[in-house]
């Protein structure tokens, strides 16, 4: 995973920087018709070829040349809203900044988008529709709080690891010396002794996400450095929330929105009943949590639990396995929405960004589901050293990063570089180009045969290596596999890896700009426990920084959709009036998951969806897109109305069990139901204006016909976008 707080800093010896350009007048967006900055993967690049059928016309597999919101609208058949060209202020267009404090003060609205929001199509009368748009503008300032898509989100974009064939190396038995002053890999002109940061061919310091104006605003409101207390419950009770935020300073709500994919009334009651410590203890032992009905329905995905051998046999007979890579994505979405093992699923998502292997690549249909099951899920709450070794001996990672092409006489750097740059110490973790080359030589022999991992001793480079403090004579090809695993464990437990994992976890759970003191304490726990993850999470949840960071994270597009499905009570069974299409071969449950995945893909964010190995960024300023925001709101509207018949829903007029008779009281109860807190008087007036009523107006359970609009306004509020 690229550094969560800045764009990935790529040290590329022989290829140009392929990430995003500097922020232009459009504010972190590619200009329409402008240059494409995401890499168009080629067959020699190590990633899905742009010619792959999955990549055709899709910006995650080809170069981005248009704003993500525009692409999403085109894919969905909608007209691109005029905000892309007409809504400008001083030559700059883009969403207004909506941060932890809610709306941006008038004197800071350089990102403001004047005028109305793009049309939110519905069938309600014009007067009410116009009132709703005005209220949504006031609530969200026409802003895309988070919604983003691949083209915008992934400045992390473009890992762009072209094959690095380093020429001829000593072929073995006698043993070379990768540490010698005389270069032994045939590329003496390369600056092998330098750190990657000193051989970069571009300047990135002023291009970082957090170096933007929005990023600077986030930094001003970051939680202060704190301390680790005696446990999560004690820390929650003794921490005063001092940051500015529109969210309620309720520790139960805070825990539910950070440690899960979205709070629900049932979840909040469960935490209050069990207590913070007991709830976390159970979440950290997910095997003892019973599967939900939706998880049991995953049996309807026939390839999900098949081994690689079984998938190959199925492919080689009469059956098609093209959906195998899709089905693990669908299953991940189902678990995020319906599993009671919520903290576990959050950590699965975290590791899928940190140790990222794209969902789709040549070979992924057979290999990728096994990687999710046998690497990520197996070790998500276990030990990172075990996970890193498991990943490097799994065919999915080896295929994805071309390791099978690496031979002692023709070395490919892809895997070795990413093991250092993305999967362990990070680009500033202290390694040099010589370390990359030695690691690439050492890892020869790891390969894939018939979609299974193999170690080929006859391809392994033999000779002394010294990489970031790991030294080995590496004198025997037969013992090479053991040396490689020892090196990977050394890498996983390196102090720079401890800091990198700690920084990433703190960014995920605390703040886009987590306090350095917290990162240092988490790293210390990681090292003391030799890479075990649960102790690190307990240190995090026992920190005053965690409990003091209310409202300091913004939901990314996938998280927004999942939280919306959860809070609206969407169920995995078909609606009573569902009619299965005659030509539909899969079950309604599987078809519904496919539809949700397609919606997430439109928004540029779905499980393991990024084609490059750096994973999705986890900071707010990477995900700003007004068009994507509106698309998310419209999805909320569809769910409230029960439009996706493959699932069943709570009718909007039944979201509140016993609706109060007056509009103000009804809105109070509905706000607690959907955003889990009270609204300010100003916010209430704005939302009541959507229905054209006052707080004292008598209303029925349908809010006099406006319940859908009222509920959608709540789900478009900062209170629902922040986590």
């Amino acid at each position: 995973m690229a550094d969560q707080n800045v764009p990935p800093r790529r040290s590329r010896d022989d290829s140009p920087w392929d990430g995003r350009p500097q922020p232009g007048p459009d504010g972190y967006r590619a200009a329409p018709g402008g240059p494409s900055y995401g890499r168009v993967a080629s067959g020699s690049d190590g990633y899905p070829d742009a010619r792959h059928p999955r990549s055709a016309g899709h910006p995650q597999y080809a170069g981005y040349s248009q704003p993500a919101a525009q692409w999403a609208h085109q894919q969905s058949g909608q007209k691109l809203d005029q905000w892309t060209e007409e809504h400008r202020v001083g030559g700059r267009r883009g969403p207004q900044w909506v941060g932890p404090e809610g709306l941006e003060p008038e004197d800071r609205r350089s990102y403001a988008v004047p005028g109305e929001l793009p049309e939110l199509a519905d069938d309600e009368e014009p007067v009410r529709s116009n009132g709703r748009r005005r209220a949504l503008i006031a609530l969200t300032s026409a802003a895309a709080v988070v919604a983003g898509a691949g083209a915008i989100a992934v400045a992390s974009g473009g890992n762009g690891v072209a094959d690095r064939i380093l020429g001829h190396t000593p072929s073995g038995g006698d043993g070379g010396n990768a540490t010698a002053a005389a270069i032994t890999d045939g590329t003496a002109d390369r600056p092998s002794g330098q750190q990657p940061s000193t051989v970069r061919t571009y300047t990135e310091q002023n291009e970082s996400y957090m170096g933007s104006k929005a990023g600077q605003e986030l930094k001003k409101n970051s939680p202060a450095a704190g301390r680790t207390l005696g446990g999560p419950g004690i820390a929650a009770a003794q921490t005063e929330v001092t940051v500015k935020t529109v969210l309620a300073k309720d520790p139960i709500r805070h825990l539910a929105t950070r440690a899960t994919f979205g709070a629900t009334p049932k979840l909040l009651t469960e935490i209050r009943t069990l207590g913070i410590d007991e709830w976390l203890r159970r979440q950290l032992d997910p095997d003892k949590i019973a599967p939900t009905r939706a998880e049991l329905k995953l049996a309807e995905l026939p390839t999900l639990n098949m081994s690689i051998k079984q998938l190959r046999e199925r492919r080689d007979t009469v059956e098609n396995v093209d959906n195998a890579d899709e089905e693990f994505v669908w299953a991940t979405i189902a678990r995020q929405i319906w599993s009671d093992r919520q903290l576990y699923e959050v950590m699965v998502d975290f590791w899928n960004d940190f140790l990222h292997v794209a969902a789709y690549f040549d070979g992924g249909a057979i290999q990728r589901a096994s990687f999710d099951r046998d690497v990520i899920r197996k070790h998500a709450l276990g030990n990172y050293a075990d996970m890193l070794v498991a990943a490097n001996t799994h065919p999915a990672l080896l295929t994805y990063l071309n390791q099978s092409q690496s031979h002692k006489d023709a070395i490919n750097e892809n895997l070795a570089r990413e093991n250092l740059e993305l999967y362990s110490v990070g680009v500033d973790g202290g390694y040099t180009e010589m370390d990359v080359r030695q690691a690439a030589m050492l890892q020869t022999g790891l390969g894939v045969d018939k979609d299974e991992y193999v170690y080929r001793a006859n391809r392994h480079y033999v000779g002394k290596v010294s990489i970031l403090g790991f030294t080995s004579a590496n004198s025997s090809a037969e013992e090479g596999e053991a040396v490689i695993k020892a090196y990977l464990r050394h890498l996983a437990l390196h102090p720079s890896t401890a800091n990198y994992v700690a920084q990433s976890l703190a960014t995920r759970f605390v703040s886009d700009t987590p306090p350095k003191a917290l990162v240092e304490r988490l790293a210390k726990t990681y090292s003391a426990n030799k890479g075990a993850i649960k102790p690190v999470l307990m240190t995090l949840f026992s920190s005053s920084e965690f409990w003091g960071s209310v409202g300091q994270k913004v939901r990314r597009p996938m998280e927004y959709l999942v939280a919306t499905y959860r809070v609206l009570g969407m169920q995995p069974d078909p609606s009573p009036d569902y009619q299965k299409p005659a030509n539909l071969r899969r079950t309604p449950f599987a078809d519904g998951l496919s539809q949700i995945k397609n919606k997430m893909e439109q928004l540029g964010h779905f499980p393991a969806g990024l084609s490059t190995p750096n994973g999705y960024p986890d900071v707010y300023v990477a995900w700003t897109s007004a068009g994507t925001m509106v698309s998310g709101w419209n999805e909320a509207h569809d769910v409230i109305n029960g439009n996706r018949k493959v699932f069943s829903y709570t009718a909007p007029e039944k979201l509140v069990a016993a609706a109060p008779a007056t509009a103000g009281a009804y809105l109070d109860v509905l706000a607690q139901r959907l955003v889990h807190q009270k609204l300010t008087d100003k916010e209430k007036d704005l939302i009541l204006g959507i229905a054209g009523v006052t707080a004292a107006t008598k209303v029925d359970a349908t809010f006099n016909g406006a319940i859908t609009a009222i509920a959608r306004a709540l789900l478009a509020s900062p209170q629902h976008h922040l986590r």
Side-chain angles (χ1 to χ4, degrees):
M1 179 163 72
D3 188 333
Q4 299 269 21
N5 291 327
V6 296
R9 293 164 289 186
R10 298 282 184 242
S11 50
R12 295 293 179 248
D13 311 325
D14 52 2
S15 60
W17 166 241
D18 53 22
R20 73 167 63 252
Q22 293 185 5
D26 59 349
Y28 288 95
R29 270 184 201 85
S36 168
Y37 291 93
R39 173 173 292 277
V40 181
S42 66
S44 63
D45 193 75
Y47 306 109
D49 194 305
R51 294 166 295 179
H52 191 280
R54 293 190 187 281
S55 66
H58 191 303
Q60 293 202 13
Y61 301 96
Y64 301 130
S65 59
Q66 57 185 336
Q70 178 180 347
W71 179 83
H73 277 268
Q74 290 173 349
Q75 294 299 307
S76 62
Q78 299 175 15
K79 180 181 179 182
L80 176 63
D81 296 301
Q82 291 181 331
W83 69 270
T84 54
E85 289 298 333
E86 295 178 1
H87 293 164
R88 296 176 178 270
V89 178
R92 176 187 292 274
R93 72 170 181 272
Q96 178 187 336
W97 166 243
V98 177
E101 301 175 50
L103 307 183
E104 180 183 29
E106 292 289 345
D107 61 355
R108 280 201 279 116
R109 293 193 175 179
S110 62
Y111 280 81
V113 182
E116 292 187 338
L117 281 175
E119 181 69 31
L120 302 181
D122 55 36
D123 297 322
E124 298 189 36
E125 56 194 85
V127 101
R128 195 168 274 170
S129 177
N130 291 336
R132 175 171 61 264
R133 287 198 299 275
R134 285 195 297 272
L136 290 178
I137 291 168
L139 279 169
T140 63
S141 303
V145 173
V146 279
I152 295 171
V154 261
S156 56
N159 184 55
V161 186
D163 281 351
R164 286 168 181 78
I165 304 304
L166 305 186
H168 295 284
T169 63
S171 59
D174 296 339
N177 186 351
T179 69
I183 306 299
T184 59
D185 63 6
T187 51
D189 58 329
R190 293 175 46 162
S192 59
Q194 298 183 39
Q195 287 187 301
S197 58
T198 66
V199 297
R200 296 172 191 152
T201 58
Y202 65 96
T203 302
E204 59 78 30
Q205 282 80 0
N206 296 322
E207 298 175 13
S208 70
Y209 290 133
M210 302 312 294
S212 67
K213 179 176 179 179
Q216 293 302 317
E217 293 300 328
L218 275 176
K219 291 178 182 179
K220 292 178 183 178
N221 199 36
S222 294
R227 58 195 178 115
T228 301
L229 291 100
I234 295 173
Q238 295 186 10
T239 299
E240 179 184 1
V241 179
T242 59
V243 295
K244 296 178 181 179
T245 178
V246 297
L247 292 191
K249 297 177 181 180
D250 174 7
I252 301 298
R253 184 194 192 283
H254 178 61
L255 179 63
T257 54
R258 289 290 174 86
T260 79
F261 278 96
T264 66
K266 177 185 174 183
L267 175 64
L268 294 169
T269 299
E270 179 182 308
I271 298 175
R272 289 193 174 94
T273 301
L274 293 174
I276 289 171
D277 289 343
E278 177 61 16
W279 183 82
L280 280 171
R281 186 191 68 78
R282 294 190 183 191
Q283 287 292 305
L284 289 171
D285 196 5
D287 290 342
K288 294 183 179 179
I289 299 176
T292 60
R293 184 162 49 86
E295 288 176 292
L296 294 176
K297 285 175 71 66
L298 292 177
E300 297 179 21
L301 306 180
T303 67
L304 184 61
N305 293 314
M306 287 186 177
S307 67
I308 287 175
K309 181 179 179 181
Q310 288 172 321
L311 287 172
R312 282 184 59 88
E313 290 174 349
R314 177 172 174 166
R315 182 192 64 188
D316 293 340
T317 56
V318 295
E319 297 187 77
N320 196 310
V321 297
D322 282 349
N323 277 345
D325 45 2
E326 289 274 24
E327 287 187 354
F328 103 83
V329 175
W330 301 345
T332 301
I333 293 169
R335 288 161 170 152
Q336 290 175 355
I337 299 171
W338 290 297
S339 177
D340 288 337
R341 304 172 176 124
Q342 279 289 297
L343 180 55
Y344 174 68
E345 291 302 324
V346 168
M347 289 303 297
V348 167
D349 183 61
F350 170 84
W351 291 119
N352 265 320
D353 278 336
F354 191 96
L355 213 173
H356 182 69
V357 173
Y360 310 128
F361 60 93
D362 188 12
I366 298 293
Q367 302 167 6
R368 186 54 179 84
S370 170
F371 186 84
D372 183 70
R373 181 177 62 245
D374 301 325
V375 177
I376 299 296
R377 291 183 174 277
K378 181 177 180 179
H379 300 289
L381 289 174
N383 185 285
Y384 185 59
D386 294 340
M387 182 186 289
L388 187 62
V389 171
N392 275 265
T393 54
H394 192 281
L397 183 62
L398 301 179
T399 300
Y400 180 53
L401 292 180
N402 302 106
Q403 183 59 30
S404 279
Q405 298 176 13
S406 192
H407 187 286
K408 63 187 178 183
D409 294 324
I411 297 174
N412 184 297
E413 272 189 10
N414 288 4
L415 178 61
R417 182 176 294 278
E418 304 309 354
N419 273 333
L420 289 161
E421 185 170 332
L422 295 177
Y423 306 151
S424 64
V425 300
V427 73
D428 286 328
Y431 69 90
T432 67
E433 286 299 302
M434 177 68 89
D435 289 319
V436 173
R437 291 157 65 191
Q438 290 184 67
M441 294 163 77
L442 174 63
Q443 291 189 236
T444 51
L446 301 180
V448 180
D449 181 47
K450 297 180 180 178
D451 291 301
E452 300 277 5
Y453 163 72
V454 295
Y455 172 72
R456 298 184 177 99
N458 65 328
R459 293 190 178 188
H460 178 68
Y461 167 85
V462 173
K464 182 181 179 181
V465 293
S466 181
I467 311 161
L468 276 179
F470 175 83
T471 302
S472 173
N474 186 35
S475 57
S476 167
E478 288 69 27
E479 296 177 359
E481 184 180 29
V483 176
I484 294 169
K485 291 180 178 179
Y487 158 69
L488 292 169
R489 290 189 176 278
H490 170 84
L491 211 57
L493 301 180
H494 192 278
S496 292
T497 303
N499 187 77
Y500 193 24
V501 172
Q503 176 77 23
S504 299
L505 283 169
T507 300
R508 176 64 180 81
F509 285 99
V510 176
S511 166
D512 289 3
T513 55
K516 182 179 179 181
L518 172 63
V519 173
E520 290 173 348
R521 298 200 309 276
L522 297 179
K524 183 177 180 180
T525 300
Y526 178 97
S527 295
N529 290 276
K530 300 186 184 305
I533 301 306
K534 289 182 183 180
V536 181
L537 289 175
M538 284 302 295
T539 298
L540 188 152
F541 291 128
S542 299
S543 72
S544 58
E545 292 96 335
F546 172 79
W547 297 101
S549 66
V550 174
Q552 300 307 295
K553 291 295 295 183
V554 183
R555 284 178 170 138
R556 297 176 291 177
M558 180 178 74
E559 296 161 357
Y560 174 83
L561 291 188
V562 172
T564 300
Y565 300 142
R566 284 174 58 79
V567 79
L568 289 174
M570 186 173 77
Q571 296 300 309
D573 305 300
S575 297
D577 55 346
Y578 170 76
Q579 293 184 347
K580 184 177 179 180
N583 61 346
L584 182 66
R585 297 182 60 185
R586 53 180 174 248
T587 67
F589 178 59
D591 191 45
L593 294 174
S594 174
Q595 292 176 26
I596 292 176
K597 181 261 178 179
N598 291 341
K599 182 65 179 181
M600 290 177 173
E601 191 169 12
Q602 287 180 14
L603 303 186
H605 189 203
F606 65 94
L610 198 62
S611 60
T612 53
N614 40 299
Y616 290 114
D618 195 7
V619 292
Y620 160 74
V621 291
W623 296 96
T624 54
S625 165
T628 308
M629 167 72 68
V630 172
S631 184
W633 294 345
N634 288 338
E635 176 71 1
H637 174 271
D638 286 345
V639 177
I640 294 168
N641 277 344
N643 292 347
R644 205 185 297 280
K645 300 298 183 181
V646 287
F647 298 124
S648 54
Y649 312 84
T650 301
E653 63 271 17
K654 294 182 180 179
L655 287 169
V656 172
T662 61
Y666 192 164
L667 180 56
D668 286 339
V669 178
L670 187 63
Q672 286 287 353
R673 170 67 178 79
L674 295 181
V675 297
H676 322 296
Q677 67 177 75
K678 295 180 180 179
L679 302 178
T680 65
D681 290 341
K682 180 179 179 180
E683 290 166 340
K684 285 180 61 177
D685 289 343
L686 288 168
I687 294 179
L688 291 173
I690 292 173
V693 299
T694 67
T697 302
K698 297 286 186 181
V699 293
D700 59 16
T702 71
F703 223 100
N704 294 350
I707 186 61
T708 296
I710 294 294
R712 181 170 64 172
L714 287 168
L715 296 176
S717 70
Q719 285 86 341
H720 186 59
H721 279 285
L722 294 169
R723 63 168 168 87

